[in-house]
Amino acid sequence: MSPEEAVQRLLDHFVQSQANSGSPHGRRPEPIQIHGIYAHTRIDALYDPVTKSVTIPGGPGAGTYRTPSGASSTVIQALRPAVFPNRTGWTFWRISSTGKRLSTLRYAQHAPPAATRALPAASQPRR
């Protein structure tokens, strides 16, 4: 096997393992407990940070949804059928452990750590 073939085989293995694990460290992140409150009713759910799906295990809107917005719309429709259910799920759902909006996680996985971000030219130290 040539060095080029060995490198390609390693890269293929790495890419495949990333696709299977959903995490850069080989471990799939745990679902995050979230909740929404609508019409004086608390709805508990789980957010999957890999697929960005929401699962409502029971109660109004029980099921698994591809997006937070799909889940929130179904909950609203179940609790108040006469209300137009279109909502942004990223602001409807709250992270149960912190009370913060789910939207705080929406882009967090793609942002580089603060220490690696480039400073604007005016902020960089002079030599």
Side-chain angles (χ1 to χ4, degrees), residues 77-95:
Q77 187 71 46
L79 292 172
R80 294 238 173 110
V83 173
F84 185 66
N86 200 13
R87 298 287 189 282
T88 301
W90 295 101
T91 57
F92 178 88
W93 298 104
R94 299 281 178 161
I95 301 166

Side-chain angles (χ1 to χ4, degrees), residues 46-111:
L46 295 169
Y47 171 71
D48 184 326
V50 174
T51 63
K52 296 183 172 41
S53 65
V54 171
T55 298
I56 303 170
T64 298
Y65 302 89
R66 289 182 333 140
T67 65
S69 296
S72 64
S73 292
T74 302
V75 166
I76 293 166
Q77 187 71 46
L79 292 172
R80 294 238 173 110
V83 173
F84 185 66
N86 200 13
R87 298 287 189 282
T88 301
W90 295 101
T91 57
F92 178 88
W93 298 104
R94 299 281 178 161
I95 301 166
S96 295
S97 64
T98 65
K100 293 183 179 181
R101 289 181 175 177
L102 184 59
S103 62
T104 60
L105 299 179
R106 188 174 191 178
Y107 301 109
Q109 297 160 337
H110 304 293

